[in-house]
């Protein structure tokens, strides 16, 4: 055996460990949209509630206790522990809200033993973290020995596993009964009116409660077709704000305890995973792939791939109006940036002529983002070093579009996910 051959097992070992795999943010569970949009948007939305829960626990000389319902491999812990203080200054290094002295307990429960094993493999050594196999549709709160908790958390569509309303109502009522003073519950469903599943929109939600959710997006187009018969299917509840409000008020009525939705949030409005598959909407465009590309370092994206052509659906004027307004704002920003890039003179470090004025009739958020992009291109367009378009301007356009989306969302079930924060307060009279 040659010297080189002798050394080959070291490479094979590295490949088997998975650590040698080519990592990119363009595909996979932790693609760029998940990292920079979905996780971050959820963090921004939850931040004031987590802060309030920390403050309330601290006022009673307690640290924060969290129960993650359907924790999987503890992704929720990673999401929550990444929440940052809103106004951290540039010089600050410690910016996370859930620092070691703030967290008392994180308990994750799930029905899937393999995922729990994975979670234990990562966090089993942390004495503040517990994992338990539990069916959350089965009255487990009554026998749970580690509660009560301040934050009952769920993420990425987990509440859609409650296929009938009874199961969700019961769980919320059980949580309310096991809460000592106050707590928050984060309910995370699939949005009923996501553009991804335009085919499934209905004005009679009672007739189509659950969708057949095919996990096809993990493969590219050809592989998807080859594997079609062996793809995994999940039966998942679609949720609008009205339906969620009914479930929440019913849980209050049943438990006789104050339970109220504080806020709803639409996550991933045009960027859900099924945009790229067209599985449930023949008009869907691969916008997730485009957004993944825009946030990928060292990669130049054609900005035309971001232009949305929203196709209205007859019989849904409230959705058509909403989506059309959003699409117009989004496209206006993208087209403005294309124009700014055309106008920019790198050698002389300025625009060749004054960019077109921003009409005062545009929505405030759009005007702000157009102004910001104008300043960014002017500030770094000449930089040369470090690929300013790929590594600064494109990601900043991604953040500007994210801001537009977040500030124009209405928490009505128009995103891939509908997230609701529910407050339970035993000191208040039920409404
Ligand atoms: C959409 S995944 C979310 C996983 C993880 N929280 C995340 O954010 O990636 C839903 C999780 O709920 C779990 N689950 C589904 N039905 C359940 C049940 N009845 N009881 C407990 N866990 C359940 C699944 O095993 C899965 O881990």
């Amino acid at each position: 055996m040659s010297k080189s051959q002798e050394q080959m097992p070291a490479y094979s070992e590295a490949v088997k460990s998975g650590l040698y795999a080519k990592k990119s943010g363009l595909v996979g569970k932790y693609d760029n949209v998940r990292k920079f949009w979905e996780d971050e948007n959820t963090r921004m939305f939850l931040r004031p509630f987590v802060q309030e829960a920390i403050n309330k626990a601290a006022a009673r000389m307690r640290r924060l206790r969290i129960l993650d319902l359907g924790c999987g491999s503890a992704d929720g812990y990673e999401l929550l522990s990444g929440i940052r203080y809103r106004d951290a200054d540039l010089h600050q290094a410690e910016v996370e809200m859930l620092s070691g002295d703030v967290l008392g307990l994180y308990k994750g429960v799930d029905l899937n033993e393999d995922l729990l094993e994975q979670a234990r493999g990562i966090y089993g050594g942390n004495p503040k973290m517990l994992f338990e196999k539990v069916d959350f549709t089965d009255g487990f709160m009554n026998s749970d020995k580690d509660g009560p908790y301040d934050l009952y958390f769920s993420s990425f569509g987990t509440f859609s596993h409650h296929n009938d309303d009874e199961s969700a109502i019961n769980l919320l009522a059980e949580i309310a009964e096991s809460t000592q003073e106050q707590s928050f519950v984060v309910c995370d469903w699939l949005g009923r009116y996501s553009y991804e599943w335009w085919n499934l929109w209905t004005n009679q939600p009672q007739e189509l409660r659950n969708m057949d959710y095919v996990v096809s997006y993990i493969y590219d187009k050809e592989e998807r077709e080859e594997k079609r018969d062996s793809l995994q299917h999940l039966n998942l509840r679609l949720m609008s704000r009205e339906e969620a409000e009914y479930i929440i008020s019913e849980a209050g009525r049943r438990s006789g305890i104050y339970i109220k939705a504080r806020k709803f949030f639409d996550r991933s409005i045009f960027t859900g995973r099924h945009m790229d598959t067209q599985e449930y909407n023949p008009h869907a465009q691969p916008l997730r792939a485009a957004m993944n590309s825009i946030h990928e370092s060292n990669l130049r994206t054609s900005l035309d791939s971001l232009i949305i052509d929203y196709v209205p659906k007859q019989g849904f004027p409230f959705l058509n109006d909403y989506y059309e307004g959003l699409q117009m704002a989004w496209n206006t920003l993208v087209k403005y940036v294309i124009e700014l890039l055309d106008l920019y003179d790198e050698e002389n470090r300025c625009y060749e002529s004054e960019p077109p004025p921003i009409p005062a009739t545009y929505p405030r958020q759009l005007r702000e983002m157009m102004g910001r992009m104008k300043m960014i291109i002017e500030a770094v367009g000449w930089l040369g070093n470090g690929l300013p378009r790929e590594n600064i301007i494109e990601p900043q356009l991604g953040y500007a579009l994210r801001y537009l989306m977040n500030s124009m969302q209405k928490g009505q079930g128009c995103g891939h996910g509908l997230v609701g924060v529910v407050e339970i307060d035993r000191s208040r009279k039920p409404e």
Side-chain angles (χ1 to χ4, degrees), residues 119-167:
R120 288 189 194 104
I122 309 169
Y123 296 111
N126 185 334
K128 287 186 186 173
M129 295 176 75
L130 289 178
F131 296 96
E132 194 178 318
K133 186 174 176 187
V134 145
D135 182 346
F136 57 52
T137 61
D138 203 19
F140 91 97
M141 289 304 310
N142 303 323
S143 56
D144 180 62
K145 305 251 184 328
D146 300 299
Y149 306 88
D150 306 291
L151 185 64
Y152 296 80
F153 180 71
S154 73
S155 49
F156 291 101
T158 301
F159 254 69
S160 282
H161 281 286
H162 293 283
N163 295 120
D164 59 68
D165 288 358
E166 275 306 292
S167 162

Coordinates of all heavy atoms in Angstrom, one line a residue, residues 119-167:
A119 N -31.7 15.2 20.2 CA -31.6 16.4 21.2 C -30.8 16.0 22.4 O -29.9 16.9 22.8 CB -33.1 16.7 21.6
R120 N -30.9 14.8 22.9 CA -30.1 14.4 24.1 C -28.6 14.4 23.7 O -27.8 14.8 24.5 CB -30.6 13.1 24.6 CG -31.9 13.1 25.3 CD -32.2 11.8 26.1 NE -33.6 11.8 26.4 CZ -34.6 11.1 25.8 NH1 -34.3 10.3 24.8 NH2 -35.8 11.2 26.2
G121 N -28.4 13.9 22.5 CA -27.0 13.9 22.0 C -26.3 15.3 22.0 O -25.2 15.4 22.3
I122 N -27.1 16.3 21.7 CA -26.6 17.6 21.6 C -26.5 18.3 23.0 O -25.6 18.9 23.4 CB -27.4 18.5 20.6 CG1 -27.6 17.8 19.3 CG2 -26.7 19.9 20.5 CD1 -28.6 18.5 18.4
Y123 N -27.7 18.1 23.7 CA -27.8 18.9 25.0 C -27.9 18.1 26.3 O -28.1 18.7 27.3 CB -29.1 19.8 24.9 CG -29.0 20.8 23.8 CD1 -29.8 20.7 22.6 CD2 -28.1 21.9 23.9 CE1 -29.8 21.7 21.6 CE2 -28.1 22.8 22.8 CZ -28.9 22.7 21.7 OH -28.8 23.6 20.7
G124 N -27.8 16.8 26.1 CA -28.0 15.9 27.3 C -27.1 16.3 28.5 O -27.4 16.1 29.6
G125 N -25.9 16.9 28.2 CA -25.0 17.3 29.3 C -25.4 18.5 30.0 O -24.8 18.9 31.0
N126 N -26.4 19.2 29.5 CA -26.7 20.5 30.2 C -27.8 20.2 31.3 O -28.9 19.8 31.0 CB -27.3 21.5 29.1 CG -27.6 22.8 29.6 OD1 -27.9 23.0 30.8 ND2 -27.6 23.8 28.8
P127 N -27.4 20.5 32.5 CA -28.4 20.1 33.6 C -29.7 20.9 33.6 O -30.6 20.5 34.3 CB -27.5 20.4 34.9 CG -26.5 21.3 34.5 CD -26.2 21.1 33.0
K128 N -29.7 22.0 32.9 CA -31.0 22.8 32.8 C -31.9 22.3 31.7 O -32.9 22.9 31.5 CB -30.7 24.2 32.6 CG -30.1 24.9 33.8 CD -30.0 26.4 33.4 CE -29.2 27.1 34.5 NZ -29.0 28.5 34.1
M129 N -31.5 21.2 31.0 CA -32.3 20.8 29.9 C -32.7 19.3 30.0 O -31.9 18.4 30.3 CB -31.5 20.9 28.6 CG -31.2 22.4 28.3 SD -30.2 22.7 26.8 CE -31.4 22.4 25.5
L130 N -34.1 19.1 29.9 CA -34.7 17.8 30.0 C -35.4 17.4 28.8 O -36.0 18.3 28.1 CB -35.7 17.8 31.1 CG -35.4 18.0 32.6 CD1 -36.6 18.0 33.4 CD2 -34.5 16.8 33.0
F131 N -35.4 16.1 28.4 CA -36.2 15.7 27.3 C -37.1 14.5 27.7 O -36.6 13.6 28.4 CB -35.3 15.4 26.1 CG -34.5 16.6 25.6 CD1 -33.2 16.8 26.1 CD2 -35.1 17.5 24.7 CE1 -32.5 17.9 25.6 CE2 -34.4 18.6 24.3 CZ -33.1 18.8 24.8
E132 N -38.3 14.5 27.2 CA -39.2 13.4 27.6 C -40.1 13.0 26.4 O -40.6 13.9 25.7 CB -40.0 13.8 28.7 CG -40.8 12.7 29.4 CD -41.6 13.2 30.6 OE1 -41.1 14.1 31.4 OE2 -42.7 12.8 30.8
K133 N -40.3 11.7 26.3 CA -41.2 11.2 25.2 C -42.7 11.4 25.7 O -43.0 10.8 26.8 CB -40.9 9.7 24.9 CG -41.8 9.3 23.7 CD -41.4 7.9 23.3 CE -42.3 7.5 22.1 NZ -42.2 6.1 21.8
V134 N -43.4 12.1 25.0 CA -44.8 12.5 25.4 C -45.7 12.7 24.2 O -45.2 13.1 23.1 CB -44.7 13.8 26.2 CG1 -45.9 14.7 26.0 CG2 -44.4 13.6 27.7
D135 N -47.0 12.3 24.3 CA -47.9 12.6 23.3 C -48.7 13.8 23.8 O -49.5 13.7 24.7 CB -48.9 11.4 23.1 CG -49.9 11.7 21.9 OD1 -50.0 12.8 21.5 OD2 -50.5 10.7 21.5
F136 N -48.6 15.0 23.1 CA -49.2 16.2 23.7 C -50.7 16.2 23.4 O -51.4 17.2 23.8 CB -48.5 17.5 23.3 CG -48.3 17.7 21.8 CD1 -49.4 17.7 20.9 CD2 -47.1 18.1 21.3 CE1 -49.2 17.9 19.5 CE2 -46.9 18.3 19.9 CZ -47.9 18.2 19.1
T137 N -51.2 15.2 22.7 CA -52.7 15.2 22.5 C -53.4 14.3 23.5 O -54.5 14.0 23.4 CB -53.0 14.6 21.1 OG1 -52.5 13.3 21.0 CG2 -52.4 15.4 20.0
D138 N -52.6 13.9 24.5 CA -53.1 12.8 25.4 C -53.1 13.2 26.9 O -52.9 12.4 27.7 CB -52.1 11.6 25.2 CG -52.7 10.3 25.6 OD1 -54.0 10.3 25.6 OD2 -52.0 9.4 25.8
G139 N -53.4 14.5 27.1 CA -53.6 14.9 28.5 C -52.4 14.8 29.4 O -52.5 14.7 30.6
F140 N -51.2 15.0 28.8 CA -49.9 14.7 29.6 C -49.7 15.8 30.6 O -49.0 15.6 31.6 CB -48.7 14.6 28.6 CG -48.0 15.9 28.3 CD1 -46.9 16.2 29.0 CD2 -48.5 16.7 27.3 CE1 -46.3 17.4 28.7 CE2 -47.9 17.9 27.1 CZ -46.8 18.3 27.8
M141 N -50.3 17.0 30.4 CA -50.0 18.1 31.3 C -50.4 17.8 32.7 O -49.8 18.2 33.7 CB -50.7 19.4 30.9 CG -50.2 20.1 29.6 SD -48.5 20.6 29.6 CE -48.3 21.4 31.1
N142 N -51.4 16.9 32.8 CA -51.9 16.6 34.2 C -50.9 15.7 35.0 O -51.0 15.7 36.2 CB -53.3 15.8 34.0 CG -54.3 16.6 33.3 OD1 -54.3 17.9 33.4 ND2 -55.1 16.0 32.4
S143 N -50.0 15.0 34.2 CA -49.1 14.2 35.0 C -47.7 14.7 34.9 O -46.8 14.1 35.5 CB -49.1 12.8 34.4 OG -48.8 12.9 33.0
D144 N -47.5 15.9 34.3 CA -46.1 16.4 34.2 C -45.6 16.9 35.5 O -46.3 17.6 36.3 CB -46.2 17.6 33.2 CG -44.8 18.3 33.0 OD1 -43.9 17.6 32.6 OD2 -44.6 19.4 33.4
K145 N -44.4 16.5 35.9 CA -43.9 16.7 37.2 C -43.0 18.0 37.3 O -42.5 18.4 38.3 CB -43.0 15.5 37.7 CG -43.8 14.2 37.7 CD -44.1 13.7 39.1 CE -44.7 12.4 39.2 NZ -45.6 12.0 38.1
D146 N -42.6 18.5 36.1 CA -41.6 19.6 36.1 C -42.2 21.0 36.0 O -41.4 21.9 36.1 CB -40.6 19.3 34.9 CG -39.9 18.0 35.1 OD1 -39.2 17.8 36.1 OD2 -40.1 17.1 34.2
G147 N -43.5 21.1 35.8 CA -44.1 22.4 35.6 C -44.4 23.0 37.0 O -44.0 22.5 38.0
P148 N -45.0 24.2 37.0 CA -45.5 24.9 35.8 C -44.4 25.7 35.1 O -43.3 25.8 35.7 CB -46.5 25.9 36.5 CG -46.0 26.1 37.8 CD -45.4 24.8 38.3
Y149 N -44.7 26.2 34.0 CA -43.7 26.9 33.1 C -44.2 28.3 32.9 O -45.4 28.6 33.0 CB -43.5 26.2 31.8 CG -43.2 24.7 32.0 CD1 -44.2 23.8 32.1 CD2 -41.9 24.3 32.0 CE1 -43.9 22.4 32.3 CE2 -41.6 22.9 32.2 CZ -42.6 22.0 32.3 OH -42.3 20.7 32.5
D150 N -43.2 29.1 32.5 CA -43.6 30.5 32.1 C -43.9 30.7 30.7 O -44.7 31.5 30.2 CB -42.4 31.5 32.5 CG -42.0 31.3 33.9 OD1 -42.8 31.7 34.8 OD2 -40.9 30.8 34.2
L151 N -43.2 29.8 29.9 CA -43.4 29.9 28.4 C -43.7 28.5 27.9 O -42.8 27.6 28.1 CB -42.1 30.4 27.8 CG -42.1 30.7 26.3 CD1 -43.2 31.7 25.9 CD2 -40.8 31.1 25.8
Y152 N -44.8 28.3 27.3 CA -45.2 27.0 26.6 C -45.0 27.3 25.1 O -45.7 28.1 24.6 CB -46.6 26.6 26.9 CG -46.8 26.3 28.4 CD1 -47.0 27.4 29.3 CD2 -46.8 25.0 28.9 CE1 -47.2 27.1 30.6 CE2 -47.0 24.8 30.3 CZ -47.2 25.8 31.1 OH -47.4 25.6 32.5
F153 N -44.0 26.6 24.6 CA -43.5 27.0 23.2 C -43.8 25.9 22.2 O -43.8 24.8 22.5 CB -42.0 27.3 23.4 CG -41.4 27.7 22.1 CD1 -41.6 29.0 21.5 CD2 -40.5 26.9 21.4 CE1 -41.0 29.4 20.3 CE2 -39.9 27.3 20.2 CZ -40.2 28.5 19.7
S154 N -44.1 26.4 21.0 CA -44.1 25.4 19.9 C -43.5 26.1 18.7 O -43.6 27.3 18.6 CB -45.5 24.9 19.6 OG -46.3 25.9 19.0
S155 N -43.0 25.4 17.7 CA -42.4 26.1 16.5 C -42.7 25.3 15.2 O -42.9 24.1 15.2 CB -40.9 26.3 16.7 OG -40.3 25.1 17.1
F156 N -42.6 26.1 14.1 CA -42.7 25.6 12.8 C -43.8 24.6 12.5 O -43.6 23.4 12.1 CB -41.3 25.0 12.4 CG -40.3 26.2 12.2 CD1 -39.4 26.5 13.2 CD2 -40.4 27.0 11.1 CE1 -38.6 27.6 13.1 CE2 -39.6 28.1 11.0 CZ -38.7 28.4 12.0
G157 N -45.0 25.0 12.8 CA -46.2 24.3 12.4 C -46.6 23.2 13.4 O -47.5 22.4 13.1
T158 N -46.0 23.1 14.5 CA -46.3 21.9 15.4 C -47.7 21.9 15.8 O -48.3 20.8 16.0 CB -45.3 22.0 16.6 OG1 -44.0 21.9 16.1 CG2 -45.6 20.8 17.6
F159 N -48.4 23.0 16.1 CA -49.8 23.0 16.5 C -50.7 22.4 15.4 O -51.8 22.1 15.7 CB -50.3 24.4 16.9 CG -50.4 24.5 18.4 CD1 -49.3 24.5 19.2 CD2 -51.6 24.6 19.0 CE1 -49.4 24.6 20.6 CE2 -51.8 24.7 20.4 CZ -50.6 24.7 21.2
S160 N -50.2 22.4 14.2 CA -51.0 21.8 13.1 C -51.1 20.3 13.2 O -51.9 19.7 12.5 CB -50.5 22.2 11.7 OG -50.9 23.5 11.4
H161 N -50.4 19.7 14.1 CA -50.5 18.3 14.4 C -51.8 18.0 15.2 O -52.2 16.9 15.4 CB -49.3 17.7 15.2 CG -48.2 17.4 14.2 ND1 -48.1 16.4 13.4 CD2 -47.0 18.1 14.0 CE1 -47.0 16.4 12.7 NE2 -46.3 17.4 13.0
H162 N -52.4 19.1 15.8 CA -53.7 18.9 16.4 C -54.7 18.9 15.2 O -55.2 20.0 14.8 CB -54.0 20.1 17.4 CG -53.2 20.1 18.6 ND1 -53.3 19.2 19.6 CD2 -52.1 20.9 18.8 CE1 -52.4 19.5 20.5 NE2 -51.6 20.5 20.1
N163 N -55.1 17.8 14.7 CA -55.9 17.7 13.5 C -57.4 18.1 13.8 O -58.1 18.6 13.0 CB -55.9 16.3 12.9 CG -54.5 16.0 12.4 OD1 -53.9 15.1 12.8 ND2 -54.0 16.9 11.5
D164 N -57.8 17.9 15.0 CA -59.2 18.4 15.4 C -59.1 19.4 16.5 O -58.1 19.4 17.2 CB -60.1 17.2 15.8 CG -59.6 16.5 17.0 OD1 -59.6 17.1 18.1 OD2 -59.2 15.3 16.8
D165 N -60.1 20.3 16.5 CA -60.0 21.4 17.4 C -60.0 21.0 18.9 O -59.4 21.6 19.7 CB -61.2 22.3 17.2 CG -61.1 23.1 15.9 OD1 -60.0 22.9 15.2 OD2 -62.0 23.8 15.5
E166 N -60.7 19.9 19.2 CA -60.8 19.4 20.5 C -59.4 19.2 21.2 O -59.2 19.6 22.3 CB -61.5 18.0 20.5 CG -63.0 18.0 20.6 CD -63.5 18.9 21.7 OE1 -63.4 18.5 22.9 OE2 -64.1 20.0 21.4
S167 N -58.5 18.6 20.4 CA -57.2 18.3 20.9 C -56.5 19.6 21.3 O -55.9 19.7 22.3 CB -56.5 17.5 19.8 OG -55.1 17.5 20.0

